[in-house]
Amino acid sequence: MEILLAIWEDHDLQADDNAVSFSQIRSRVAHDDPGNLRYHLNKLEGHFVRQRSERGGYALRVPAKKLIREVVAGAGVHDKHLPPTRVDQRCPFCEAPTVMSYREGVLFWACHECGGMTPGRDFAPFDPPGPLTAHSFAPAGLHEWSPERLWSASLVAGWRRLRSMFDGICPNCSSPVNSWFDSCPDHDPDRCDDCGLRFGTTAHFRCSACDRHLGCTPKQLALFHPAVVSFYDDHGISTRIRADAVDHAKRVYDLVLDHEVTVLDVEPISVAVTVSNDDETVRLTFDDSVRVVDVSR
Ligand SMILES: [Zn+2]
Ligand SMILES: [Zn+2]
Ligand SMILES: [Zn+2]
């Protein structure tokens, strides 16, 4: 890793020949013994490092660059932490003040008053009570945003990852994704002792290779469909959100919560999401594998 970082730090991305010489690498790493360094360089050659024979320098291959970017994104992964910090966003369910917090790579937005998305659940001592959203977020970006923009940045990041899962490809490992619905038969939206969730119907996505799992309300998935995007566009509303445009992101988030979910059939399950604006509606029907099979407007 030290050798790869030495090449990374010395290589010139813009140059045609961005190889780094053996002596440059040697001056950056702690190896005094050139034989030992050459031994380790030989081990890296092939998959991670390419030797430029004409000039004798070393260049990084794509897998090495990916690895280093991961290290940069995760810089200080064990000490980045954000204690619950008040943000200027009211809880969409009870209007109480809300907080953002960060631990172990996950950014939480939570309401401690009403239980957020999980009003019927008890939490382990370290989980923030009442999560409204929980998105994985690279620690390198944590202190680059104000708490307000952290809210919209996490929404952008979370929806992007969800969009990829919905489109059938894992954003982590590029493998195929399995998807299904889960619905609570006797759901009580105020406090459900059966499922513990705010919304009784959940769309699940699980990667077939790395086991990455995301669950969401189908309300949110409607926003990824072109019929809904154009419906909103016809009503003068852009569904595009940006990390640095907090007010607009909040508006789009509120629209999503107004989407109406109906379970049409149980076996196999079929779910409709209805989007309304100015007395007009568009309705998407999802089959049991969370694919849109019908659109009516
Ligand atoms: Zn609340
Ligand atoms: Zn329930
Ligand atoms: Zn995966």
Side-chain angles (χ1 to χ4, degrees), residues 89 100 137 145-158 241-247 249-250:
Q89 300 284 358
M100 302 287 306
F137 202 81
W145 305 94
S146 66
E148 306 306 325
R149 288 189 173 181
L150 209 47
W151 180 84
S152 41
S154 78
L155 200 65
V156 170
I241 57 168
R242 279 183 59 99
D244 59 2
V246 182
D247 290 345
K250 173 72 178 150

Side-chain angles (χ1 to χ4, degrees), residues 66 164-165 168-177 207-210 212:
K66 262 182 97 171
S164 181
M165 294 294 259
I169 177 163
C170 174
N172 275 8
C173 76
S174 303
S175 301
V177 169
C207 173
S208 56
C210 77
R212 179 73 191 252

Side-chain angles (χ1 to χ4, degrees), residues 9-288:
E9 276 155 17
D10 267 337
H11 88 306
D12 180 358
L13 269 180
Q14 311 298 329
D16 286 341
D17 179 6
N18 54 14
V20 177
S21 71
F22 182 80
S23 58
Q24 275 173 288
I25 298 170
R26 199 183 156 199
S27 70
R28 280 194 181 267
V29 298
H31 281 288
D32 281 339
D33 174 8
N36 193 330
L37 177 59
R38 211 172 280 283
Y39 168 80
H40 286 286
L41 263 166
N42 285 342
K43 289 263 178 199
L44 292 168
E45 237 190 287
H47 190 55
F48 289 117
V49 169
R50 181 165 37 118
Q51 190 173 5
R52 291 284 176 88
S53 51
E54 21 0 313
R55 302 262 307 272
Y58 295 86
L60 298 175
R61 288 184 183 273
V62 171
K65 291 180 186 173
K66 262 182 97 171
L67 194 65
I68 289 168
R69 286 197 186 100
E70 282 293 314
V71 171
V72 171
V77 71
H78 295 300
D79 46 29
K80 288 269 169 89
H81 167 250
L82 181 72
T85 303
R86 180 78 69 85
V87 286
D88 187 23
Q89 300 284 358
R90 295 266 153 184
C91 171
F93 305 114
C94 76
E95 292 288 312
T98 58
V99 293
M100 302 287 306
S101 64
Y102 185 82
R103 63 190 312 276
E104 292 175 15
V106 181
L107 194 52
F108 294 94
W109 177 42
C111 170
H112 294 341
E113 288 298 317
C114 71
M117 289 292 183
T118 56
R121 268 194 195 170
D122 295 328
F123 280 84
F126 295 118
D127 287 331
L132 291 158
T133 60
H135 297 306
S136 70
F137 202 81
L142 187 64
H143 297 304
E144 301 294 320
W145 305 94
S146 66
E148 306 306 325
R149 288 189 173 181
L150 209 47
W151 180 84
S152 41
S154 78
L155 200 65
V156 170
W159 283 3
R160 195 144 295 171
R161 220 167 282 128
L162 179 63
R163 167 84 200 232
S164 181
M165 294 294 259
F166 182 47
D167 289 343
I169 177 163
C170 174
N172 275 8
C173 76
S174 303
S175 301
V177 169
N178 300 315
S179 44
W180 69 96
F181 280 115
D182 208 18
S183 193
C184 178
D186 301 307
H187 188 66
D188 174 356
D190 292 324
R191 191 190 162 93
C192 186
D193 290 329
D194 292 339
C195 71
L197 302 174
R198 170 86 48 188
F199 302 124
T201 305
T202 305
H204 293 276
F205 302 93
R206 189 184 291 282
C207 173
S208 56
C210 77
D211 223 32
R212 179 73 191 252
H213 171 259
L214 284 181
C216 75
T217 162
K219 290 169 186 276
Q220 217 163 323
L221 301 177
L223 208 62
F224 301 143
H225 196 278
V228 173
V229 173
S230 64
F231 174 82
Y232 276 126
D233 190 54
D234 292 345
H235 290 85
I237 300 164
S238 165
T239 54
R240 173 162 157 68
I241 57 168
R242 279 183 59 99
D244 59 2
V246 182
D247 290 345
H248 183 68
K250 173 72 178 150
R251 186 179 179 209
V252 176
Y253 178 83
D254 288 343
L255 287 173
V256 166
L257 289 183
D258 286 340
H259 294 171
E260 215 172 290
V261 176
T262 318
V263 176
L264 302 174
D265 250 314
V266 178
E267 198 54 59
I269 193 167
S270 164
V271 173
V273 178
T274 308
V275 176
S276 311
N277 203 282
D278 291 341
D279 296 330
E280 278 188 84
T281 61
V282 57
R283 190 171 96 148
L284 306 179
T285 306
F286 296 80
D287 70 5
D288 60 341

